[in-house]
Amino acid sequence: GCVLVVSVIEQLAQWHNSTVKAAMERLCNYIPGKYQIIHHIIDREMNADVVCHSLKLCNQDPGQPLCHLYPPPKVRKHSPGLFYALAHAGQKRQIKSFMGFSSVCAFPLLANLCEKIKYVIRNKLPFEDFDGDKFSTFPTLRGYHWRGRDCNDKNTTVYPGRRPDNWDVKSDSNCNGIWGVDPKDGIPYEEKFCKGADSQGVVLLGDSAGAHFHIPPEWMTVTQMSAKSFANLPMAFTDELDWPQFSEITGFLNSTIGGWTDSLYLRLRRRNRCNHRDLQNISQNGMLTAYLSFSLARNQLLDNPAIVIYATIGNDVCNGNRDTLAHMTTPKEMLSNVVQALRYLDSRLPNGSHVILTGLVDGRFLWDNLHDRYHPLGQLNRDITYSQLYSFLDCLQVSPCSGWLTPNETLRNLTSERALQLSNVLKEIARSEKFANFDIFYMDFPLRQTAEEWHKMGGEPWQLIEPVDGFHPSQIAAALGTSITWQKALHEWPQVLGKENPFNDQIEAIFKDQGGH
C-alpha cells in the first residue's frame, strides 16, 4: 500500500513539475476527507520502495527476500544493504516509525467505518437492516447494491422475492412495485400480471470475480487524475472494493467503471417484469468452496424459487503461498465442499429452483496477455510491467494467484491442470447428484468464447482483465459473459429461465402513468 501511494505522489510531482509537498497536497485535495501525511521523507531521487523502507512501513524479515517493485537504486560498492544509502538519509531526518499506524483502522477517522466493514465481511449481511429480513434501504455495507432493495425496512414480512401477500391488494409485500387493484375490473394487479408467470429470483454464491472486484485505474494514473477520480472512493471502500451493482449476475445499474452493464438479473427482469428486485449477490473476496458461508435470504414456504449460480472460479487453486500447489483444493475436498453446500441449499430453496455450477477459469490467459504490458503505475515512465507487479506481490506473499501470475510456465500449466480437475468434479456432481428442491446444471467458465466475441468486436484480449490488479474479469468481460451464459441457457436449459411474461408492456405502461413508482 505504501509503495503504491508513494508512487502516485512521485508521479504527480513529475507530471505537474511540482515539489513533492505540492503533489501530496494535490492528492489530499483530490481525496474526500482530510488526512495528514508526513511529506518531508519523500525525495524526488528516492523511489517508492526506498521511501517505504525508510518509513518502516515496509521491512525485510530475516531469511526472506527483499521485495521491491522498482529496480533497486545504485549504492556504494561496500554498502551494507540494498537500501542503506537512501534509507539512511531518511533516518538522518529523524523520521518517526509508522509502525503504530500500519493498520489504517488505527486512525480515529476510520475506526468506526472499519468496524462496520468487518461486520459485513464477517456476516455477509446488510449493516443497515432495521427489521432483520436481510434486505436494506441503504446501498453499501452489503445493502441494496448486493441484494434487492427493501421497500419497507420496518416490516420483516416485506422484502424482495416473496410470494405476494393476498395478491398485494393493499401494499407491496415483495417490493416489485406491483400492487393495488385495477379499478376497471377489480382484479389485483399482482394477480392479473404475475399469476402463473414463473417468477423467480437470481442468487450468486461466488468469490471476488462474482462480487466484481475493481480498483479504478484513474486512482493510480496521474495523467487522468483529478478530484472527480476519487468521488467514488467512500462508496468503493464501503462495498469492499467490489461493484456488484454492475456485475455479470446481479448488476442492475448503468456502469460507471467503463464498459456497459448486462446481467442475468436484468435479462430475467426483462423476460418477466414481476422479477423486479429479486436478486442476491452473496460473494466475498477470497472465498473458497470450503468457506462458502451462506447468508441466503429464502423462505421455502413463502418465497419464489430462485436460480442459484455457484461460481468460485479461481480461489480453490489460487493462493499467495510459496508452495502454492500444496495449498490448492484437492478433487476429494472439492466434492465434499460442494455437496455439503448443495445440501444446505436443498434445505433453504423453494421447490422448483435451479442451481448452475460454473467451472474454474483457465488463468493462463492472464500471463499470456498481460505480462509484458505496462501497469497503470508504469505507464508514465514505462518502468513497471505486470510481470514486475506479479513478482512484487509474490515476494510479499500476497499474490492473488501464485500459480498463474508467475513466469514459471510449468507452474502455470500445473495450476490449470488442477483447475480442470476441479471443474470435472463439478461436472460429475451435476450429472450424478439429485436434490429434492432444485435441478442442477454445469457450464464451463466462458473465457474462450468471451475472448472470441470481443475479438469480433475489434477488442484486444488484455481489455478483458482488470487493469489495476491484473487478475479479475473487467466490466467488458462481465457483460459479454452474461450474453454467452444467456444464450447457452436459452438453447440447452430453457426451463431454467422461465417463460416470457406477456403482460410486460402493460406493466411498464402503468408504471409510466403513475410516474414510474
Side-chain angles (χ1 to χ4, degrees), residues 411-467:
L411 183 54
R412 297 200 303 270
N413 290 338
L414 288 171
T415 303
S416 288
E417 184 179 310
R418 176 61 62 85
L420 181 59
Q421 292 170 358
L422 299 185
S423 294
N424 287 335
V425 170
L426 296 173
K427 193 179 297 185
E428 178 59 24
I429 289 173
R431 188 191 67 80
S432 61
E433 296 287 338
K434 304 297 179 187
F435 296 90
N437 289 307
F438 57 81
D439 47 15
I440 186 167
F441 306 89
Y442 169 85
M443 69 172 292
D444 290 321
F445 186 83
L447 179 59
R448 179 182 56 80
Q449 301 96 310
T450 300
E452 290 172 355
E453 192 64 29
W454 184 232
H455 178 71
K456 291 177 188 175
M457 297 170 69
E460 297 288 339
W462 58 268
Q463 294 170 311
L464 299 175
I465 308 168
E466 275 295 317

Side-chain angles (χ1 to χ4, degrees), residues 204-205 248-249 289 308-314 334 338 355-361 419 422-423 426-427 430 441-446 485 493:
L204 174 64
L205 305 178
E248 178 176 349
I249 303 301
T289 53
V308 178
I309 310 297
Y310 188 107
T312 54
I313 66 170
M334 189 75 166
V338 175
V355 173
I356 299 174
L357 304 178
T358 303
L360 279 71
V361 69
L422 299 185
S423 294
L426 296 173
K427 193 179 297 185
F441 306 89
Y442 169 85
M443 69 172 292
D444 290 321
F445 186 83
T485 300
W493 327 311

Side-chain angles (χ1 to χ4, degrees), residues 9-10 82 92 167 180 205-206 211 231 240 274 326 343 379 433 450:
I9 292 168
E10 291 182 335
L82 179 63
K92 281 186 175 179
W167 294 117
L205 305 178
E240 305 156 51
C274 301
R343 287 172 181 162
Q379 289 173 6
E433 296 287 338
T450 300

Side-chain angles (χ1 to χ4, degrees), residues 335-404:
L335 176 63
S336 174
N337 296 340
V338 175
V339 169
Q340 183 180 353
L342 293 174
R343 287 172 181 162
Y344 170 87
L345 291 175
D346 202 31
S347 70
R348 294 291 190 276
L349 290 174
N351 190 262
S353 295
H354 312 280
V355 173
I356 299 174
L357 304 178
T358 303
L360 279 71
V361 69
D362 184 349
R364 288 176 293 193
F365 185 89
L366 302 169
W367 179 270
D368 292 346
N369 290 287
L370 282 184
H371 75 276
D372 57 354
R373 295 189 61 82
Y374 289 110
H375 185 268
L377 274 179
Q379 289 173 6
L380 180 64
N381 296 311
R382 302 177 73 83
D383 57 353
I384 301 173
T385 63
Y386 282 94
S387 176
Q388 289 170 258
L389 176 70
Y390 294 156
S391 295
F392 179 54
L393 297 177
D394 191 54
C395 180
L396 294 170
Q397 298 181 45
V398 296
S399 171
C401 197
S402 294
W404 276 325

Side-chain angles (χ1 to χ4, degrees), residues 236-406:
F237 274 108
T238 49
D239 267 337
E240 305 156 51
L241 291 177
D242 296 320
W243 308 73
Q245 68 273 31
F246 308 140
S247 65
E248 178 176 349
I249 303 301
T250 62
F252 63 95
L253 294 177
N254 291 332
S255 172
T256 59
I257 57 174
W260 64 97
T261 302
D262 189 5
S263 71
L264 180 60
Y265 162 73
L266 284 176
R267 289 184 177 233
L268 285 170
R269 184 185 180 279
R270 282 197 294 269
R271 193 173 182 82
N272 179 4
R273 181 57 182 71
C274 301
N275 292 331
H276 182 54
R277 293 193 185 180
D278 196 355
L279 64 102
Q280 297 180 52
N281 191 319
I282 311 174
S283 300
Q284 183 173 331
N285 301 335
M287 184 61 71
L288 287 80
T289 53
Y291 302 108
L292 273 173
S293 174
F294 299 116
S295 53
L296 178 67
R298 218 65 180 180
N299 185 303
Q300 284 187 314
L301 299 178
L302 297 178
D303 297 349
N304 287 318
I307 301 172
V308 178
I309 310 297
Y310 188 107
T312 54
I313 66 170
N315 286 338
D316 284 282
V317 297
C318 285
N319 58 74
N321 295 292
R322 294 272 161 77
D323 52 344
T324 181
L325 291 170
H327 289 81
M328 293 179 185
T329 301
T330 67
K332 183 177 179 180
E333 291 168 337
M334 189 75 166
L335 176 63
S336 174
N337 296 340
V338 175
V339 169
Q340 183 180 353
L342 293 174
R343 287 172 181 162
Y344 170 87
L345 291 175
D346 202 31
S347 70
R348 294 291 190 276
L349 290 174
N351 190 262
S353 295
H354 312 280
V355 173
I356 299 174
L357 304 178
T358 303
L360 279 71
V361 69
D362 184 349
R364 288 176 293 193
F365 185 89
L366 302 169
W367 179 270
D368 292 346
N369 290 287
L370 282 184
H371 75 276
D372 57 354
R373 295 189 61 82
Y374 289 110
H375 185 268
L377 274 179
Q379 289 173 6
L380 180 64
N381 296 311
R382 302 177 73 83
D383 57 353
I384 301 173
T385 63
Y386 282 94
S387 176
Q388 289 170 258
L389 176 70
Y390 294 156
S391 295
F392 179 54
L393 297 177
D394 191 54
C395 180
L396 294 170
Q397 298 181 45
V398 296
S399 171
C401 197
S402 294
W404 276 325
L405 308 183
T406 173

